[in-house]
Amino acid sequence: MSHIITEVNNHCLSIVINRVEKKNALTREMYQAMADAIFDIKEDKTIKAIIIKGAGDCFTAGNDISDFAEQQENAHVPETASFMRALAECKVPVIAQVHGVAVGIGTTLLLHCDFVYATPDSRFVLPFINLGLVPEYASSYLLPKVAGHIKAAEWLMLGEPFSAEEAYQFGLLTKIVDANSISQVVKDTAQKLVEKPTFSLMQTKSLLKGDGERITLQMNEEFDIFLEALGTTAAQEAFDAFLKKRPINPEKFR
Ligand code: COA
């Protein structure tokens, strides 16, 4: 079974992250599959909405930590970059459907969506600092814009989980929706989008996303620092501790 399931139905592309046994942690192959699915719709002018959701009991546990552990300083990660660009530059409205945990890029990708629905049990976390890493996906630019510097600093410098209620309060979510109705609410929103005139819909999104160049600049700057961070002793210690299910050695995490 593929770890990314895509389906086109009624002018809407659904992308399901489906690596349930690993909490939908994202591998390089999965990033590429999602990037390809989003890029491919350029060829299909009839698609007017994209839905992204997770299978099983969560949205996604973020980047696969084994992949992080293998990446060396200055290594290229074209698949991740490709996914990030595909979603950030996507002309079609994107709806995220979140339940359970949304870790790392599982939260930062939401900043590039247009509608974000989450169940009350959703937990968001930006754990980069606790992995010896730095923010990615332009979150160091977009989060202060959305939630203000003070909240962004708390989320990014402490790296502690926060609730759906807090995410909603600080502008990350469209709405909190009960688990038994979230799929229908997402489908209804997709249907409403599909019924809008194509030109107006795409141009409205494009006008709203006016700071694309700034976002690309920030993503590139973050990427350089992120790759440098991957090679540090602190990051390697955090990855090894996670993978071996042991506590972090504070001597190596400075
Ligand atoms: N990368 C690789 N494997 C991951 C993973 C990740 N990001 N997240 C979870 N997994 C794996 C676990 O190692 C475990 O594998 P195993 O069954 O072979 O031991 C399996 O998925 C289930 O995870 P587990 O930790 O047992 O589930 P949980 O419900 O107790 O906790 C999380 C879920 C998401 C809170 C926890 O797994 C976690 O913190 N993951 C790391 C998240 C992270 O830091 N991501 C990087 C973001 S930059």
Side-chain angles (χ1 to χ4, degrees):
M1 174 69 87
S2 170
H3 288 150
I4 296 293
I5 301 171
T6 60
E7 186 192 0
V8 174
N9 196 2
N10 188 25
H11 308 291
C12 175
L13 166 69
S14 292
I15 299 177
V16 182
I17 309 169
N18 180 45
R19 194 178 171 221
V20 173
E21 69 289 358
K22 294 285 180 187
K23 301 282 167 186
N24 297 333
L26 296 163
T27 60
R28 296 173 72 154
E29 293 73 22
M30 291 163 75
Y31 284 118
Q32 194 58 56
M34 292 194 290
D36 291 345
I38 297 171
F39 279 132
D40 281 355
I41 64 169
K42 277 189 189 154
E43 309 302 318
D44 183 349
K45 302 281 182 246
T46 67
I47 306 273
K48 291 169 79 176
I50 298 176
I51 296 171
I52 304 180
K53 60 185 172 185
D57 66 2
C58 69
F59 186 58
T60 168
N63 203 99
D64 188 292
I65 293 186
S66 320
D67 274 8
F68 271 162
E70 281 165 18
Q71 276 158 28
Q72 298 302 315
E73 187 182 342
N74 298 327
H76 292 289
V77 271
E79 300 88 353
T80 314
S82 181
F83 165 70
M84 287 179 169
R85 236 186 20 257
L87 182 64
E89 294 170 8
C90 179
K91 306 274 183 247
V92 171
V94 182
I95 308 167
Q97 177 178 329
V98 181
H99 71 295
V101 287
V103 187
I105 195 167
T107 292
T108 59
L109 77 78
L110 304 177
L111 297 164
H112 300 272
C113 297
D114 305 289
F115 297 83
V116 183
Y117 297 98
T119 57
D121 72 328
S122 301
R123 305 279 289 164
F124 303 84
V125 57
L126 299 158
F128 308 110
I129 194 101
N130 299 326
L131 292 166
L133 299 173
V134 295
E136 38 72 311
Y137 215 171
S139 57
S140 57
Y141 167 65
L142 290 170
L143 270 181
K145 232 176 105 162
V146 171
H149 172 80
I150 291 294
K151 189 44 81 177
E154 184 187 42
W155 286 343
L156 288 169
M157 291 190 197
L158 297 182
E160 291 169 357
F162 53 96
S163 65
E165 195 53 55
E166 188 170 321
Y168 178 69
Q169 191 190 341
F170 285 92
L172 259 56
L173 306 182
T174 309
K175 205 173 189 179
I176 299 175
V177 184
D178 280 348
N180 49 16
S181 39
I182 192 165
S183 295
Q184 193 55 50
V185 169
V186 166
K187 275 186 201 145
D188 289 348
T189 298
Q191 182 58 31
K192 286 178 195 169
L193 293 168
V194 163
E195 287 167 13
K196 303 295 181 199
T198 307
F199 180 81
S200 303
L201 185 64
M202 307 301 168
Q203 292 300 322
T204 300
K205 170 151 181 170
S206 161
L207 288 163
L208 281 167
K209 295 255 166 189
D211 55 356
E213 256 175 52
R214 179 72 181 80
I215 288 171
T216 304
L217 273 177
Q218 193 81 8
M219 265 164 53
N220 290 342
E221 194 179 337
E222 288 172 345
F223 227 29
D224 288 345
I225 307 171
F226 197 96
L227 290 176
E228 193 180 335
L230 281 173
T232 61
T233 308
Q236 291 296 325
E237 169 60 14
F239 305 152
D240 194 61
F242 176 80
L243 294 171
K244 293 189 177 142
K245 301 184 194 291
R246 64 165 175 81
I248 285 179
N249 176 355
E251 294 300 316
K252 294 186 180 168
F253 195 71
R254 290 177 191 281

